[in-house]
Amino acid sequence: MAVRAVRGAVQLDRDETGHLHERVGTLLTAVLERNELVADDLISIWFTATPDLHSDFPAAAARSLGITDVPLICAQELDIDGAMPRVVRVLAHVETYLSKAEINHVYLGATAALRKDIAQ
């Protein structure tokens, strides 16, 4: 078994707590399902949000999914002119038997344009 990093992102339509929880929950569920992981495989998750998101912490969405014993941290993305707005990114460290090449990075909707090289 190895420690691997899984990337992902999702764009929100609006900055509202319920919407943020829904979208981040969808992203985390997709990361787990596409990599055949369960919550116990998670080591830690790093979330970033663009500066235009203020309604809640993305980590709160993970907690509402039942991810309660995994270290989570949130940070703000750099405020770069022309960057895609209302985006939450995730970097999850996991224990898995998958090789680096087998990891499925999850970029939902428009965020697939952020990392065309690794978006699934």
Side-chain angles (χ1 to χ4, degrees):
M1 185 162 304
V3 173
R4 302 283 184 224
V6 185
R7 291 287 318 270
V10 65
Q11 185 178 40
L12 280 62
D13 296 326
R14 59 195 174 279
D15 184 22
E16 295 175 0
T17 300
H19 184 61
L20 182 141
H21 282 235
E22 175 191 341
R23 288 288 173 94
V24 173
T26 298
L27 174 61
L28 291 174
T29 299
V31 164
L32 293 173
E33 288 177 355
R34 293 183 191 180
N35 290 286
E36 299 179 7
L37 300 168
V38 296
D40 197 45
D41 297 325
L42 295 168
I43 296 169
S44 65
I45 305 175
W46 183 286
F47 295 94
T48 65
T50 51
D52 52 2
L53 294 176
H54 308 279
S55 61
D56 203 356
F57 296 99
R63 298 283 184 233
S64 69
L65 285 177
I67 300 173
T68 57
D69 62 349
V70 175
L72 308 174
I73 193 166
C74 298
Q76 188 176 80
E77 279 289 330
L78 296 173
D79 191 7
I80 304 297
D81 288 337
M84 186 179 291
R86 300 176 316 279
V87 174
V88 174
R89 291 171 174 85
V90 62
L91 174 64
H93 299 96
V94 302
E95 291 181 313
T96 181
Y97 289 104
L98 296 175
S99 69
K100 286 181 184 180
E102 294 171 314
I103 293 292
N104 291 296
H105 303 282
V106 180
Y107 288 80
L108 300 178
T111 64
L114 297 173
R115 288 300 307 265
K116 292 178 183 178
D117 57 325
I118 62 172
Q120 301 293 316

